[in-house]
Amino acid sequence: MIVTLRRSISVTLVLGAALALVMTASLCFGTIPIDPGEILRALVWNLTGRGESSIRDTIIISIRLPRVLLAALVGGALSVAGSIFQALLRNPLADPYILGVSSGSAVGAVLAMMLGLGAMSLGLPLASFAGALGTVLLVFNVGRMGRRVHTNTLLLAGVIINAFFGAVLMFLISISRHEALHTIVFWLMGDFSFADFAGVTLIFPYVVTGISLAYLLARRLNLLVAGEDEAIQLGVDVERVKKSAYVLGSLITAAAVSVCGLIGFVGLMIPHMVRLVLGPDHRLLIPASCLWGAAFLVICDTLARTILAPIELPVGVITSAFGAPFFIYLLKTRSI
Amino acid sequence: MARKGEGRIRAGGLFLVLGALLFGAAHAAAGTRVFTDALGRAVTIAYPPERIVSLAPAITETLFALGLKDEIAGVTRFSNFPPAAVEKPRVGSYVNLNIEAIVSLKPDLILATAAGNPQIQARKLQDMGFPVYVVYPKDTDGVLATIRRIAEIVGRSERGGAIVRDMRERIERISHRVRGLNRPRVFFQIGRDPIFTVSRGSFADNLISLAGGDNIAKDARIPYPSYNLEEVILKAPEVIIVSSMYVDTDHSGWLEEWKRWDVLPAVKDNRLYTIDSDLVDRPSVRIVVGLEKMARMIHPEAFPPEPSDQNKTSRQYPGFTATGEPPLRPDEGKILGRE
């Protein structure tokens, strides 16, 4: 499939409209149904600061809105990170977690919770971000030999460090107190009930910068997928592309994981879904994964907070439960 | 309903006495008796037992209240009351028992709870020849019945009866005072990230209704659900009670967080409280203290700080002295620290 500017723009517009629709719908669904007009009024009230606030306005602006924004940001982030890692490692099973970023940030987060930092609004994301960055540096230094980055060594280092940190995590859980346990378990399953505007503003710059830079890397990622030797012949500095892709993907993942825990499946599945429908060109794959991943996670979170309301489910349960069958359906009906 | 339950237990006791008489000939020499536990199993117990292992903090509290300080051979990790309990050997946490530690204490009675102790581990101990007596209280009435049962099998029926009478009297006084009052909407929080609360089937929910409140989460389908923040705001609780799972953890931050939602009546009227969770989720003698504290939070108007109430702190915990020290043994004179 040839990617023309026109095609890129139209795909982006269609998916962007779909995302806007999904986000608006998500604002409407919840414990009480709210109609779109009321949401518009609440948004206007919030932006202009005029008029009386009702309980419904509070619910829309202070509870649902940060949650929907955060779900969209994280969904987009994980999906773009997934497409970057799949290109970098040339491995269809690569996802943001395979390089150990997730377990590293989980160790950071669990340590923070055990030290009681979970009660501070920014302690948890900052600790898990630090954990993720530490892991990224570790994996990168193991996977690098001299100036060259060997993707196989990188992958192997990631898997090993992932497994090791998994053990550290289990150790921390087994010695932790009951109270921290709830938080840890929900965090490990991915959960948006902690969402607030602080989290949104915390990760927004990282995610948006990361995704924009990833988009600029799209053409070179295409060449990387086609083969390193060919890319070198075409004058691409392959080592630099690999390093940038690795750092970008890890940063985006760390930012996402730090505010909402481990949300499985999205980073693995969304790029594949998009590739099956729109083809493998990263100039289209990256923006489309971002938008569709965002919409997908907003849908999943809406289900997580409404299916058994007032009981809340961790969103990770939903992403896997609904994502996997859909993924299998796509595999069966479309040939790769 | 409470009366009926008690009647049943009396009948059960009578049956057991008859059973013990029938088996008496065979077991008299060995000094054993057969008791039926909460799972309906007949458990043969050395009577009175001398080396008891408690598999839950609530059971530990009850045993201390019954004056069995010396007979308790081992307790679980979070058994922190009375202070003397902390010095007893530990046998793991109540959801993760250390079988070796239990066996090495050579208990002649193991007291287990069906609400938390892993069945597999209890059965294993039973198969190894240790008598495992299982209790399973599900609400306040169940707690009273359980205290009576434990008192009976450890040979402290009289003292157990006195404690239960004291507790029942205190519960009835509360229900008498809140009778006919309106029921404020109560939100009871046990977890913060995510928000967890209590619903029907939990001890705290039972206490809220006994204390004359209306638990906003009572209709959630599981006893300890993770709860939607939206739902809390919508149901507009008039009282918010945060149960601190650990006394040494500062939970005032949780209350600060609720203050952001100034649409809530509880926030407007500044009716935000914390309570020690050991008093509301442990089915032990102290549950009545939890109830009294909750009743004051939910109906401050019905419980003015009278001088007579001040005096009552001298017997704050049924079966314990004012300082929470392990009680005197029945043969050492005073039974309860009552006026």
Side-chain angles (χ1 to χ4, degrees):
Chain A
M1 268 184 269
I2 301 151
V3 177
T4 60
L5 187 63
R6 218 178 119 186
R7 189 163 138 82
S8 296
I9 292 174
S10 54
V11 165
T12 309
L13 280 181
V14 168
L15 284 173
L19 175 61
L21 199 70
V22 164
M23 286 172 76
T24 315
S26 175
L27 285 173
C28 297
F29 289 114
T31 310
I32 42 163
I34 294 174
D35 63 73
E38 209 170 343
I39 284 166
L40 203 65
R41 223 196 46 232
L43 288 174
V44 169
W45 159 78
N46 186 48
L47 291 174
T48 60
R50 260 184 241 131
E52 275 288 289
S53 86
S54 64
I55 283 197
R56 296 166 83 89
D57 291 340
T58 307
I59 287 177
I60 297 169
I61 300 298
S62 309
I63 300 178
R64 288 192 196 169
L65 189 59
R67 209 167 158 157
V68 169
L69 288 175
L70 202 63
L73 265 179
V74 169
L78 291 176
S79 307
V80 171
S83 57
I84 295 175
F85 284 136
Q86 281 162 18
L88 169 66
L89 301 173
R90 270 181 288 162
N91 183 332
L93 288 177
D95 77 342
Y97 299 156
I98 207 160
L99 288 171
V101 187
S102 65
S103 50
S105 82
V107 168
V110 170
L111 276 175
M113 289 178 220
M114 291 179 69
L115 294 173
L117 283 180
M120 278 158 53
S121 57
L122 293 182
L124 192 65
L126 290 180
S128 73
F129 195 63
L133 286 189
T135 316
V136 166
L137 284 176
L138 191 64
V139 172
F140 186 74
N141 277 308
V142 174
R144 188 186 52 143
M145 308 212 159
R147 285 193 60 252
R148 280 183 61 105
V149 180
H150 298 270
T151 45
N152 279 345
T153 326
L154 200 64
L155 187 63
L156 204 56
V159 170
I160 298 297
I161 287 173
N162 216 350
F164 175 70
F165 279 173
V168 173
L169 210 57
M170 290 305 127
F171 168 72
L172 291 176
I173 288 173
S174 60
I175 62 164
S176 73
R177 295 174 142 191
H178 267 153
E179 190 183 30
L181 215 55
H182 265 159
T183 312
I184 294 170
V185 167
F186 265 71
W187 194 85
L188 290 179
M189 290 192 283
D191 191 19
F192 279 116
S193 70
F194 317 147
D196 56 11
F197 279 116
V200 176
T201 47
L202 187 72
I203 70 163
F204 187 80
Y206 289 101
V207 171
V208 169
T209 315
I211 291 176
S212 312
L213 291 177
Y215 182 70
L216 296 179
L217 213 59
R219 231 180 54 82
R220 275 163 285 180
L221 286 177
N222 284 345
L223 294 172
L224 198 64
V225 173
E228 282 191 34
D229 294 341
E230 288 83 344
I232 292 170
Q233 280 168 15
L234 287 168
V236 176
D237 185 346
V238 171
E239 293 310 313
R240 242 181 87 178
V241 174
K242 285 196 282 191
K243 277 179 206 165
S244 333
Y246 174 70
V247 171
L248 271 183
S250 305
L251 259 181
I252 300 172
T253 308
V257 169
S258 71
V259 287
C260 61
L262 309 185
I263 298 174
F265 237 85
V266 179
L268 171 69
M269 196 173 56
I270 299 294
H272 280 296
M273 284 185 178
V274 174
R275 220 178 278 120
L276 282 169
V277 178
L278 295 176
D281 190 321
H282 286 81
R283 284 172 296 172
L284 198 53
L285 184 63
I286 288 177
S289 293
C290 175
L291 293 170
W292 169 229
F296 177 76
L297 203 53
V298 172
I299 294 171
C300 287
D301 183 52
T302 311
L303 291 171
R305 62 186 166 83
T306 51
I307 286 182
L308 287 181
I311 297 169
E312 288 206 2
L313 298 175
V315 70
V317 172
I318 308 286
T319 55
S320 308
F322 289 81
F326 186 48
F327 188 46
I328 289 166
Y329 166 78
L330 271 186
L331 275 180
K332 287 282 172 196
T333 52
R334 322 242 343 189
S335 55
I336 314 175
Chain B
M1 195 190 140
R3 290 278 167 225
K4 227 167 90 188
E6 211 178 329
R8 233 191 341 251
I9 289 145
R10 286 223 183 91
L14 192 65
F15 177 77
L16 290 175
V17 171
L18 284 174
L21 285 175
L22 285 174
F23 283 97
H27 292 284
T32 61
R33 279 202 203 171
V34 180
F35 292 95
T36 306
D37 72 0
L39 301 182
R41 307 175 316 140
V43 185
T44 310
I45 295 169
Y47 187 87
E50 282 163 5
R51 299 189 55 78
I52 308 171
V53 168
S54 153
L55 299 189
I59 296 172
T60 306
E61 290 182 11
T62 303
L63 291 175
F64 270 101
L66 291 169
L68 292 155
K69 185 171 180 280
D70 300 328
E71 285 84 351
I72 300 169
V75 299
T76 47
R77 182 174 163 201
F78 295 108
S79 291
N80 55 1
F81 186 90
V86 181
E87 281 139 39
K88 292 288 182 184
R90 306 273 140 157
V91 297
S93 77
Y94 87 114
V95 287
N96 188 11
L97 301 168
N98 183 337
I99 300 280
E100 268 187 42
I102 296 170
V103 170
S104 70
L105 292 170
K106 300 191 204 76
D108 58 7
L109 172 62
I110 296 170
L111 273 167
T113 170
N117 292 150
Q119 274 190 39
I120 285 187
Q121 291 185 308
R123 200 175 306 136
K124 192 166 181 180
L125 288 163
Q126 184 81 49
D127 291 344
M128 293 167 85
F130 295 99
V132 179
Y133 186 92
V134 180
V135 298
Y136 194 15
K138 290 175 184 154
D139 52 15
T140 314
D141 283 332
V143 175
L144 297 180
T146 300
I147 294 170
R148 253 189 219 286
R149 272 168 183 250
I150 292 178
E152 206 177 315
I153 67 172
V154 298
R156 292 279 194 280
S157 295
E158 201 180 318
R159 188 182 175 81
I163 290 173
V164 168
R165 271 194 302 284
D166 178 38
M167 289 175 75
R168 189 178 297 290
E169 192 183 291
R170 288 162 75 168
I171 293 169
E172 269 163 15
R173 189 164 62 239
I174 303 259
S175 64
H176 179 74
R177 290 228 193 146
V178 302
R179 191 169 297 139
L181 299 180
N182 74 312
R183 293 184 158 259
R185 292 183 301 278
V186 177
F187 181 64
F188 191 93
Q189 190 185 10
I190 54 172
R192 181 177 162 276
D193 291 327
I195 294 174
F196 268 85
T197 187
V198 296
S199 180
R200 225 168 251 145
S202 69
F203 284 101
D205 176 76
N206 186 229
L207 295 183
I208 292 170
S209 60
L210 283 175
D214 179 26
N215 180 7
I216 65 164
K218 62 177 185 285
D219 293 327
R221 275 154 281 191
I222 46 178
Y224 299 97
S226 75
Y227 209 73
N228 213 302
L229 176 59
E230 233 175 276
E231 194 86 9
V232 180
I233 308 263
L234 264 180
K235 296 220 167 127
E238 292 156 276
V239 180
I240 293 177
I241 303 175
V242 165
S243 161
S244 60
M245 281 198 172
Y246 288 89
V247 194
D248 53 338
T249 314
D250 182 20
H251 287 71
S252 53
W254 295 24
L255 297 185
E256 286 305 313
E257 215 153 278
W258 284 113
K259 287 182 186 159
R260 280 169 52 204
W261 309 103
D262 50 14
V263 289
L264 298 179
V267 177
K268 277 186 208 148
D269 303 338
N270 197 24
R271 295 187 65 187
L272 309 169
Y273 305 96
T274 58
I275 192 167
D276 177 359
S277 69
D278 289 353
L279 297 178
V280 291
D281 60 18
R282 282 190 188 175
S284 88
V285 293
R286 292 200 294 164
I287 203 156
V288 72
V289 181
L291 174 62
E292 284 167 349
K293 285 189 192 286
M294 294 244 283
R296 272 166 205 282
M297 292 167 188
I298 297 169
H299 286 291
E301 77 282 5
F303 298 93
E306 298 162 12
S308 62
D309 277 332
Q310 293 291 316
N311 292 340
K312 268 156 207 149
T313 56
S314 65
R315 56 169 174 115
Q316 195 183 0
Y317 304 127
F320 292 97
T321 57
T323 53
E325 289 298 306
L328 299 167
R329 301 179 65 112
D331 47 18
E332 286 173 301
K334 237 165 74 170
I335 291 182
L336 285 171
R338 303 184 61 166
E339 298 87 357

